[in-house]
Amino acid sequence: MSSDATKSRAVVAKQRRVIFLALPPVEELDLVGPIQVFGAANRLTGKPTYTVELVTNQEDLKVVGDSGLVSFQAARHYRSVRGEFDSLLIVCGLASRATSNIALLAWIRRSAGRAKRVGSVCVGAFVLAEAGLLDNRRATAHWKFNAELAQRFPRVTVVHDPIWVRDGNIYTSAGISAGIDLALAWVEEDCGNAIAAEIAREFVLFLRRPAGQAQLSVSLAAQANEMKAIQELQVWIAENLAEQLSIPVLAKKVSMSVRNFERLFTRELGISPGRYILKMRVESAQRILERSDMGMKEIAGAVGFSSPDVMRRAFQSITGRTPLENRRANFAASRRHLR
């Protein structure tokens, strides 16, 4: 464990009860991924920081997976949940997203009023919307279903790009690996950045992704390529953004001519090397803006921009708003969360 992770144990003040409400059939990774995050947090903090309970709406307590190959046994029916809990995370599947069970939806609404936070993974946002918890709020789901979410629930402000969104104490996420990102964000809120980062390293995640990162971001799209040399270069770039990353430098790193490198890189990733570097630097700066109060000059230097003005122009080109506007938006979201 890193020394930073050890120091972060001091941030952990109490045991937190997390309820997973599974409405089968569920997407298996949507459920298992976040559960594993909280389990890892317990191990790394050296104490039972989280008590995780799986509950369901099924009378036999069986939670089947979408694949039909895996099933889980819940601890209890949601009606049997007693006492206070810190967090509620809703996981369902395509077939169970359209629930209209009045008692279930009423229970979710009551839970949102007493829990520190309520969240959903992927199409679980439909359940929150059906319960009325997303009215006049920003929310997201998997990009394939955002249009449907907006059409079915016109009072919800559907945000199509982010991998997860927080509005007040309500969190929604894009699903699959984004459920892991949301769980990591909760761990960071509770235990500090070092513990969350340590979990991400253990999970061999390419990058920890901030809420505002696009679902189809350059970091995700780039991972699909099959060229080992380019994959290794991506990791090196992510770790050396503050360095001089000219095309000749990158070509030399993979032992290619400049012409062949530019051609291969663009063919494999669908983006030019220069544009890729620009997006990576913007994404890295976004993470720093969300997690620190560093000044613009310091952030620009940390991610390889020659000046705050160059960084500002890059942000406007990639995200449509300035770094300061990004920070203000994050601050406003935090203020809403604290109310």
Side-chain angles (χ1 to χ4, degrees):
M1 184 190 304
S2 70
S3 59
D4 285 343
T6 302
K7 292 175 183 176
S8 285
R9 290 181 179 179
V11 180
V12 182
K14 64 175 183 178
Q15 189 176 68
R16 294 170 171 84
R17 187 183 181 196
V18 181
I19 302 293
F20 278 75
L21 172 60
L23 310 179
V26 300
E27 174 66 47
E28 293 89 340
L29 187 56
D30 285 350
L31 178 62
V32 174
I35 287 176
Q36 287 293 100
V37 170
F38 295 116
N42 284 342
R43 177 167 43 78
L44 290 173
T45 56
K47 62 179 72 175
T49 302
Y50 294 99
T51 298
V52 177
E53 301 174 34
L54 178 60
V55 307
T56 184
N57 61 335
Q58 301 298 297
E59 297 297 337
D60 63 0
L61 305 185
K62 186 176 182 179
V63 179
V64 298
D66 270 337
S67 69
L69 302 176
V70 179
S71 63
F72 310 87
Q73 191 70 18
R76 58 182 56 85
H77 195 278
Y78 76 87
R79 290 193 304 263
S80 300
V81 174
R82 299 290 183 267
E84 299 302 315
F85 49 88
D86 184 79
S87 304
L88 171 67
L89 189 62
I90 297 172
V91 181
C92 63
L94 298 184
S96 54
R97 72 186 188 277
T99 181
S100 57
N101 185 299
I102 295 175
L104 172 63
L105 297 173
W107 184 85
I108 293 172
R109 283 193 296 272
R110 290 195 300 272
S111 297
R114 65 182 185 174
K116 173 183 176 182
R117 56 200 172 198
V118 175
S120 64
V121 182
C122 196
V123 291
F126 284 75
V127 180
L128 290 178
E130 192 69 52
L133 293 176
L134 299 184
D135 288 354
N136 304 312
R137 292 182 186 267
R138 297 169 67 251
T140 195
H142 190 284
W143 60 269
K144 284 187 176 181
F145 304 100
N146 273 332
E148 179 188 348
L149 181 64
Q151 182 178 18
R152 284 184 54 189
F153 302 99
R155 297 185 65 182
V156 180
T157 302
V158 178
V159 187
H160 296 271
D161 286 336
I163 59 171
W164 60 269
V165 171
R166 179 182 70 187
D167 195 324
N169 73 328
I170 307 295
Y171 299 69
T172 51
S173 67
I176 312 296
S177 61
I180 295 176
D181 287 293
L182 178 57
L184 284 169
W186 285 7
V187 169
E188 182 175 357
E189 287 182 8
D190 300 334
C191 307
N193 178 66
I195 292 293
E198 188 73 14
I199 295 170
R201 283 192 290 271
E202 285 200 359
F203 282 23
V204 199
L205 297 178
F206 180 70
L207 283 174
R208 281 197 60 215
R209 299 173 294 172
Q213 181 169 315
Q215 292 184 27
L216 303 180
S217 72
V218 62
S219 302
L220 296 178
Q223 291 175 55
N225 79 81
E226 299 176 353
M227 295 293 292
K228 184 178 180 181
I230 299 299
Q231 289 176 330
E232 292 175 349
L233 180 64
Q234 290 173 244
V235 176
W236 184 84
I237 288 171
E239 295 175 345
N240 294 274
L241 287 173
E243 303 300 320
Q244 173 61 249
L245 300 180
S246 65
I247 303 302
V249 167
L250 298 179
K252 184 177 180 181
K253 187 71 180 176
V254 292
S255 302
M256 296 180 187
S257 69
V258 169
R259 182 177 179 181
N260 187 50
F261 167 70
E262 288 189 291
R263 179 187 60 79
L264 179 63
F265 191 100
T266 303
R267 186 192 73 195
E268 291 300 316
L269 305 189
I271 186 173
S272 71
R275 187 69 173 174
Y276 178 86
I277 297 297
L278 189 68
K279 287 192 171 186
M280 287 292 290
R281 282 174 167 154
V282 168
E283 288 182 6
S284 182
Q286 283 180 307
R287 289 191 291 275
I288 298 174
L289 283 164
E290 286 195 357
R291 298 169 185 165
S292 78
D293 57 359
M294 288 172 58
M296 296 301 166
K297 184 176 181 179
E298 192 176 1
I299 294 174
V303 301
F305 288 115
S306 59
S307 71
D309 189 56
V310 171
M311 182 173 72
R312 180 182 58 79
R313 291 197 298 270
F315 260 75
Q316 290 177 315
S317 171
I318 302 299
T319 72
R321 58 186 184 183
T322 68
L324 187 57
E325 288 169 341
N326 273 262
R327 172 164 281 173
R328 286 171 176 166
N330 292 331
F331 178 73
S334 298
R335 288 287 298 274
R336 287 196 300 271
H337 172 67
L338 292 173
R339 291 195 185 110

